[in-house]
Amino acid sequence: MTTPRPTAVVVVLFGATGDLARRMVMPALMELRARGLMPPHWRLIGSAADDLDDAGFAVVLRESLGGAGGVPDDFDEIVARTRYVGGLFSAGDPGRLPVALSRARSELHESSGVDPLVVFFLAVPPLAFPTITEGLGAHGLAAGAHVVFEKPYGTSLESFEELDSLVKRTFTESQVFRIDHFLGKEGVQAIYTLRFANKAFGTLWDRHSVAQVQVDVPEDLNVANRIGFYEATGAALDMLVTHLFQVVSQIAMDTPYDLDDPHSVLLERDSVLQRFRPLDPARDVVLGQFTGYRDLPGVAPDSQQDTFVAARLWVDSDRWRGVPFILRTGKMMARKAQRVTLVLRPDDGPLRQVASRPNTIEIDFAGAGEIFLGLTVKAPGPEMRLSWGRAGLDLDDVPGGEPISPYASLIDDVFRGDRSLFTTEAGLRAAFQAFEPLRHGDRPAPLPYEQGGWGPVEANRLTAPYGWILQQEGSVAIPGQPAR
Ligand code: BG6
């Protein structure tokens, strides 16, 4: 069952001149259009504090599309459907937005014969969520709309609760889409099919076969160009409680009763989030800060902000009890990668003593996604010697593959009202509850690490006895002893 797309849509993009709108949201909307996935009748209304007119916003849009792979030949046609409303929007002062929205709705009604779906996309910092949400309620704009909140939806358990009660007073839950673009990644979605459509994998997706799961997202990015944001958030809040927890929920969820039913998928992901054990900062978390971070303009000379986090998370479900999920991410590291690795338990047959490495199932979720298997094999030759090999499948190469970007995929879901890749307030509350110990009391001090490295060595103990599998990539397998 695929939920149908609406015939007509108005997208109201708050924060339309900001970095996220330019780099992600507007290119994603145009990607949908280019692929024929945009409802045929549409309008885009950009809203931001900047004092621009429609022509000025068209310049912003052109720059955005230019930076993201190309301005379409029929750009004028896009501009003709795009409006801009400058100034603030709040309960006290709606500015020109209600008028612009009502005009767009009647134009679309006239051309399509139906009432358009209205989508409010809040591509703004979390501090601005309450003001806009109150405004939408106060000016009667919320009814029937879909509303998208960027991450982070709250910056602590308390601010999450405050925001959530305001959102609940304004919208019903089925209208709300709390976006986390990692769930829109092709490779993260590939986990479903790997598990549920392949006997070879589904049967070993639990604590009986899996010894450890690693979710490893090192980044070689600097943070110098977004230091204000970074000093206020840090790696753990920016990446761990959000993207990495969501990836864990995707791996750890139980089997939905119907994969085609968005609600059943959402429920399973949400319920596994509620099985996350609160982090134990002293035993299970290592924070880091790259050397030179404190010298960046805008950073306090004694900043204790984390630019790296590694954490061991326990998922107390029947399926995963006792299996550590080891999560790692950081800035200015050796390389950029996005990798899930299931480290399999050794086989208990006659060769169990001699295999040099564990079997692995690896899912690379950057770009179109890639799947690797790490296998013990017989090294060809006269002796019975074991070796180790890695086989890969690039999902970009499979027949019929046409990868879609995470934002385009998720915005398409918003249009169709499909919330399977979004999270309810219960799921996010559980994520914040598991994260909460790290904000209080014994948050460990960040340890220094060299730029271009793999983070503080203290984080290595979390992965014992296997080590970080990503770092072993490319290293030569040591053949085992002759087996006979
Ligand atoms: C963002 C974080 O949400 O995701 C960034 O704020 C991070 O710090 C980025 O670098 C990673 O996303 P991707 O998918 O573009 O690599």
Side-chain angles (χ1 to χ4, degrees), residues 24 151 181-182 185 219 221 226 229 238-239 243 331 336 338:
M24 298 293 178
K151 73 142 245 283
H181 78 279
F182 272 42
K185 288 176 182 277
E219 298 186 286
L221 270 182
R226 56 201 293 244
F229 166 82
D238 180 35
M239 298 286 289
H243 300 321
K331 304 295 189 219
K336 181 174 167 71
Q338 305 191 324

Side-chain angles (χ1 to χ4, degrees), residues 23 218-226 230 238 290 307 330-333 335-336 449:
R23 279 192 311 112
E219 298 186 286
D220 50 9
L221 270 182
N222 203 337
V223 286
N225 59 345
R226 56 201 293 244
Y230 216 78
D238 180 35
F290 64 79
T307 63
K331 304 295 189 219
M332 297 296 271
M333 292 179 64
R335 59 176 277 209
K336 181 174 167 71
Y449 64 95

